[in-house]
Amino acid sequence: MGHKVVVFDISVVRALWETRVKKHKAWQKKEAERLEKSALEKIKEEWNFVAECRRKGIPQAVYCKNGFVDTSVRLLEKIERNSLTRQSLLSKERDKRRSAFVFELSGEQWTELPDSLKEQTHLKEWHISNTLIQIIPTYIELFQAMRILDLPKNQISHLPAEIGCLKNLRELNVSFNHLKSIPPELGDCENLEKLDCSGNLELTELPFELSNLKQVTFVDIAANKFASVPICVLRMSNLQWLDISNNSLTDLPQDIDRLEELQTFILYKNKLTYLPYALLNLKKLALLVVSGDHLVELPTALCDSSTPLKFVSLMDNPIDNTQCEDGVEVMESEQDRQHFDKEFLKAYIEDLKERESVPSYTTKVSFSLQL
């Protein structure tokens, strides 16, 4: 018996999840009202109060009236507040120490980085998002302690070659910007572990020099214009997660099995008509997500129950990005739509990973929806 191949129209799954969320919230509200009226909550509160007294060594007789625990008298709150205050001070101290090495910037009022930033070369992290900033300055090479460059959803159109000077860089996120190329000097960041270039829409290739990034475990180049898996990616020997969904792939390279550590491979919204048998050589591959409406051939062993693979196929019918609500048209930008798709699929994959049982038979289910 093989694994179940789950095939869904993503728009139907989206609507189903939204319905479930609404029902769950309604149930939570109803349950909260029921508990509020229930005597069980009062009894539970009293027992918890007694246990708290015992734990802190305070005589509970102080809180009793006519044999019952008077939970309305919260003398314990003073002790509790003191404890919370100490925890809060410790937390603030930790945040203060961390903030000394972290730069954060957000908001469309920002069109360029502040001049004072170039003096703070001790910073280890940049978190810049949802701004109108277009250029990362060349003085970034001065930030030798930099470990995380988190720059999603800006207007960045170019990365400077000086980024290759960041030898301690671990994570680079330039998703949902306007990049058309990646500097080959990035290949000099030998300690890079995570690379996210998704949602730029215009990227067509990655420089071969990125083959030097042997520590990379995560690559996301979804929502671009790649016609094939970049050669440099095939040489990232420690790669565990590869998302190349929503591109223009028509086939996969026969040497895809070079990625021996690959565990998650996301391919949906491409133009694949078949999957190569080389995928069977990826012994650690646990999750494969592809588009089901173009496939005419796939290795049947992919659904063999002896493998750890969960094979998920999404029907990939386009979602209409113009919806009418009360006669008003709402237009989504291409990047916004791609961002929602990625967030939705991420949640779907997390839910799939949490399932303990794996179906032991193969069924193809197709849905259609009139919007």
Side-chain angles (χ1 to χ4, degrees):
M1 303 298 286
H3 297 314
K4 182 176 180 180
V5 180
V6 185
V7 183
F8 284 114
D9 183 331
I10 194 169
S11 61
V12 177
V13 182
R14 173 181 177 180
L16 179 63
W17 277 32
E18 289 174 346
T19 301
R20 288 181 176 177
V21 169
K22 290 180 181 178
K23 288 182 178 180
H24 183 66
K25 288 183 177 179
W27 175 86
Q28 283 182 318
K29 182 178 179 181
K30 186 176 180 181
E31 184 68 9
E33 292 174 351
R34 183 187 70 81
L35 290 175
E36 187 176 354
K37 298 176 181 179
S38 173
L40 292 175
E41 281 298 296
K42 181 64 176 177
I43 295 173
K44 179 181 178 181
E45 184 180 10
E46 291 179 357
W47 275 105
N48 288 339
F49 196 75
V50 171
E52 186 73 1
C53 288
R54 290 177 179 175
R55 187 175 71 81
K56 294 184 177 180
I58 301 174
Q60 68 185 64
V62 178
Y63 309 100
C64 289
K65 285 185 179 180
N66 300 323
F68 293 95
V69 177
D70 182 10
T71 56
S72 64
V73 181
R74 290 296 189 180
L75 299 181
L76 279 178
E77 285 185 356
K78 183 177 181 180
I79 299 174
E80 192 173 344
R81 281 198 300 269
N82 291 339
S83 176
L84 290 175
T85 300
R86 287 195 297 271
Q87 292 178 8
S88 178
L89 290 174
L90 289 173
S91 178
K92 287 181 179 179
E93 185 63 27
R94 285 195 298 268
D95 291 343
K96 185 177 180 181
R97 288 196 299 268
R98 179 179 180 272
S99 63
F101 298 96
V102 177
F103 174 73
E104 296 181 345
L105 192 68
S106 181
E108 294 186 354
Q109 70 272 23
W110 295 100
T111 57
E112 59 184 19
L113 293 173
D115 291 337
S116 59
L117 183 60
K118 67 175 67 175
E119 308 298 331
Q120 303 178 51
T121 57
H122 63 283
L123 291 172
K124 295 182 179 180
E125 300 180 19
W126 283 11
H127 296 273
I128 303 171
S129 63
N130 295 289
T131 72
L132 299 181
I133 293 173
Q134 299 182 27
I135 297 175
I136 300 300
T138 57
Y139 64 67
I140 195 173
E141 65 180 333
L142 302 176
F143 292 77
Q144 290 298 304
M146 186 76 73
R147 294 174 60 87
I148 297 177
L149 264 179
D150 185 37
L151 313 172
K153 302 186 74 173
N154 297 290
Q155 303 293 318
I156 300 171
S157 59
H158 172 74
L159 290 177
E162 285 76 8
I163 198 172
C165 298
L166 306 180
K167 303 300 182 181
N168 291 303
L169 190 64
R170 297 291 192 276
E171 298 182 16
L172 174 63
N173 180 0
V174 287
S175 62
F176 296 94
N177 282 281
H178 297 286
L179 295 172
K180 294 185 178 181
S181 64
I182 299 295
E185 288 79 7
L186 182 62
D188 295 332
C189 299
E190 55 192 24
N191 290 304
L192 193 69
E193 298 172 358
K194 183 176 180 179
L195 175 62
D196 189 345
C197 303
S198 62
N200 283 280
L201 305 182
E202 297 295 329
L203 280 177
T204 59
E205 61 182 12
L206 294 179
F208 181 79
E209 286 78 2
L210 268 59
S211 300
N212 298 326
L213 303 178
K214 302 302 183 183
Q215 303 301 317
V216 170
T217 60
F218 179 103
V219 170
D220 190 342
I221 50 176
N224 285 295
K225 291 185 178 179
F226 288 90
S228 61
V229 179
I231 295 177
C232 62
V233 171
L234 294 174
R235 284 160 172 74
M236 296 176 180
S237 53
N238 284 309
L239 193 62
Q240 298 175 14
W241 176 295
L242 175 58
D243 187 347
I244 193 170
S245 59
N246 211 335
N247 279 279
S248 302
L249 273 65
T250 56
D251 57 20
L252 294 177
Q254 294 300 319
D255 58 345
I256 191 69
D257 52 2
R258 293 172 62 107
L259 302 175
E260 297 179 352
E261 300 297 319
L262 194 63
Q263 299 174 17
T264 301
F265 196 9
I266 305 177
L267 292 162
Y268 82 105
K269 284 193 176 181
N270 279 288
K271 300 175 182 178
L272 299 172
T273 55
Y274 74 97
L275 298 178
Y277 282 86
L279 284 174
L280 299 177
N281 297 327
L282 298 176
K283 303 304 181 183
K284 295 186 178 181
L285 187 62
L287 181 63
L288 175 66
V289 183
V290 299
S291 295
D293 53 348
H294 293 295
L295 290 176
V296 295
E297 180 182 352
L298 71 155
T300 55
L302 282 178
C303 300
D304 193 307
S305 61
S306 63
T307 70
L309 180 66
K310 290 182 180 179
F311 170 42
V312 180
S313 177
L314 302 174
M315 285 300 289
D316 190 23
N317 292 321
I319 300 174
D320 190 356
N321 60 359
T322 305
Q323 299 181 352
C324 296
E325 297 179 2
D326 299 327
V328 180
E329 286 192 347
V330 180
M331 298 295 293
E332 291 182 315
S333 72
E334 179 67 11
Q335 282 194 328
D336 287 341
R337 187 172 68 84
Q338 300 295 356
H339 186 263
F340 176 85
D341 279 358
K342 285 187 66 61
E343 290 299 310
F344 170 81
L345 187 65
K346 180 180 177 181
Y348 181 77
I349 290 175
E350 290 300 318
D351 178 71
L352 185 66
K353 287 182 176 180
E354 290 175 1
R355 300 179 192 177
E356 295 181 355
S357 60
V358 178
S360 57
Y361 57 92
T362 301
T363 303
K364 184 174 182 179
V365 182
S366 176
F367 292 94
S368 62
L369 179 65
Q370 184 74 33
L371 294 175

